[in-house]
Amino acid sequence: MILSNEHGTHIREQEAAKRYANVQVVVAYMAEMYGTHHSKMIVLFRRDEHAQINIMTGNFIAGDWPMCQAVWRSPFLPIQSSPPMSDSPPEPHRMGSGMRFRDDFFAYLESYGRNKLGSLIQALQRFDFSAIRAALLASVPGRQNVRAIDPGRETLFGWPALRHVLSFIRTASPMAKPHIVIQCSSVASVGKTWMKDTFLKVLSSIASLPPQRPKFSLVFPTADEIRRSVDGYASGGSIHMKTQNAGQKKQLEYLKPILCHWAGDHEQASEYVPTSNEWPIRQALRRRAAPHIKTYIRFSDLAMTKIDWAVMTSANLSKQAWGEAADATGNVRICSYEIGVMVWPALWEDEGDAEMVPVFGKDMPETSISDLAIKSSHDEGTGEENLCDSDEETTDAEGEKGMREQDKKEKDKVKAKIGLRMPYDLPLIPYADDEMPWCASTPCIEPD
């Protein structure tokens, strides 16, 4: 099943689909002139009677896949047992739970129209979503009144959905200054008021009090980084930030202080890399893949060693994707279809204390939980092997020391590490004063 927009491209896909009896083209109705069907997703029904939801940042075209992309894959969802019958209305499901994900996912699918995707919804209702640990963040065209909706029982879209999910998340380091990194493949003309008073304000919100004012960065490639990518300038056709007219130049003025390099390996990059051992260079190994991925990540501290939450989505930095600011009556206008997911460490609390860490060049953290436990035990001298080294009686002072060490061991229990694969290197490299973001309509002389 292919979902396409109404702006002409669906005609080509409908003609191509006629060659395949098992392919049906569903045309998404676009109510907004400047909207687009921007969601990227595959729902798989497997022969072993499991289903899987795959949400990604790449389109189904060959040119997107030499670029840097990301995918979130649900666990394999088994067929559920019959739900218990009850006359009372269902209780709201916990944010981040699989059942809440299911409710929001079905609400997103229903926005296309029951007559278009009713069969898909009906097929998915047979499956158990409880293994999913994520919140769905989606956008659908239309207007939604954020004052009239009960977000515990109804699905919000766009930035109101993001704000609602953030109200359940606490920071791992309440006293540290957080660092929020926006990384996308397109920056629209959003205006300073919307950027500051709506979007950045929403990104700054969190359940922990008092909230620390975060540092913001925007990762976006320069023309030189596009030139040196796998597909050279051709990959720049999917990456957009206009910088030519007066309004675009004005926007660039207030974005310039937070702009950071995608690759960060240009000749002058070493001048901006901190030399302290607390800021090691961590390579994501994606420098030459031009970024079509879109991520929004809150790091717990400026060293960027832990993560409070992370979003992977199709939504770029635009009002069409996330929604306009709420009007006087509370209505938020959204133009496009978007879909993504949000994750945070507390979703794994059933496995004990958990922390989310950035991972580079691989999918899993550096050390497994069991390895960390063994290493901690031997490094701190509190393992069973050390406790059994001697049969001699200890003095009172030694006993007190042992008790203090045991207390410390209890406090320093190894946390479950949840790895988040990073698309860009750390630390970030800020733009120099004379550097400009890639603009597809600006002529480039140097060959790629």
Side-chain angles (χ1 to χ4, degrees), residues 61 63-64 66-67 223 225-240 290 292 438 440 444 447-448:
I61 56 176
D64 268 15
M67 305 177 76
E225 289 168 330
I226 294 297
R227 179 184 68 83
R228 294 187 289 122
S229 67
V230 172
D231 280 347
Y233 291 130
S235 63
S238 300
I239 300 173
H240 307 282
H292 192 260
W438 161 258
C444 297
D448 57 7

Side-chain angles (χ1 to χ4, degrees), residues 105-314:
F105 188 58
F106 286 177
Y108 169 78
L109 294 178
E110 288 172 353
S111 70
Y112 291 95
R114 272 275 178 177
N115 60 328
K116 293 184 177 182
L117 292 186
S119 61
L120 175 60
I121 296 171
Q122 186 176 8
L124 284 169
Q125 286 174 338
R126 301 170 53 232
F127 294 91
D128 182 0
F129 282 64
S130 60
I132 291 178
R133 309 187 201 207
L136 188 80
L137 287 180
S139 296
V140 300
R143 287 172 169 79
Q144 196 172 38
N145 192 304
V146 295
R147 298 179 187 172
I149 287 180
D150 176 3
R153 298 184 180 275
E154 300 176 71
T155 298
L156 290 167
F157 297 108
W159 66 256
L162 174 62
R163 182 179 65 179
H164 181 58
V165 178
L166 286 172
S167 70
F168 293 89
I169 300 176
R170 295 184 178 277
T171 178
S173 307
M175 302 308 295
K177 186 176 180 65
H179 189 170
I180 296 177
V181 181
I182 301 167
Q183 177 277 309
C184 56
S185 61
S186 180
V187 178
S189 298
V190 296
K192 187 174 183 179
T193 300
W194 181 88
M195 184 72 173
K196 179 182 177 182
D197 297 340
T198 297
F199 196 61
L200 296 188
K201 183 178 180 180
V202 168
L203 287 178
S204 302
S205 62
I206 201 163
S208 302
L209 294 174
Q212 296 284 338
R213 179 177 295 180
K215 174 183 178 180
F216 283 96
S217 294
L218 171 59
V219 174
F220 198 86
T222 62
D224 179 64
E225 289 168 330
I226 294 297
R227 179 184 68 83
R228 294 187 289 122
S229 67
V230 172
D231 280 347
Y233 291 130
S235 63
S238 300
I239 300 173
H240 307 282
M241 185 191 296
K242 295 181 179 179
T243 59
Q244 295 176 316
N245 66 35
Q248 294 159 359
K249 291 178 180 177
K250 186 70 174 177
Q251 175 167 282
L252 181 61
E253 286 182 15
Y254 65 80
L255 290 181
K256 192 68 177 289
I258 67 171
L259 277 171
C260 294
H261 283 267
W262 164 253
D265 59 349
H266 53 295
E267 291 182 2
Q268 294 79 26
S270 60
E271 300 176 11
Y272 302 95
V273 178
T275 57
S276 170
N277 292 332
E278 297 179 0
W279 301 79
I281 298 175
R282 293 165 283 173
Q283 296 186 9
L285 308 181
R286 305 300 292 161
R287 293 173 175 175
R288 298 286 76 82
H292 192 260
I293 185 174
K294 307 102 170 74
T295 58
Y296 303 77
I297 301 174
R298 174 177 166 131
F299 294 91
S300 304
D301 53 22
L302 296 183
M304 306 173 85
T305 58
K306 297 179 183 178
I307 293 171
D308 284 332
W309 53 257
V311 175
M312 185 221 73
T313 177
S314 64

Side-chain angles (χ1 to χ4, degrees), residues 47-61:
R47 291 182 179 178
D48 61 2
E49 296 190 324
H50 286 74
Q52 186 182 46
I53 299 167
N54 300 267
I55 296 173
M56 60 204 73
T57 61
N59 293 293
F60 303 121
I61 56 176

Side-chain angles (χ1 to χ4, degrees), residues 383-397:
E384 183 179 4
E385 181 179 346
N386 290 340
L387 291 176
C388 299
D389 276 347
S390 175
D391 293 328
E392 296 178 3
E393 294 184 0
T394 60
T395 64
D396 290 344

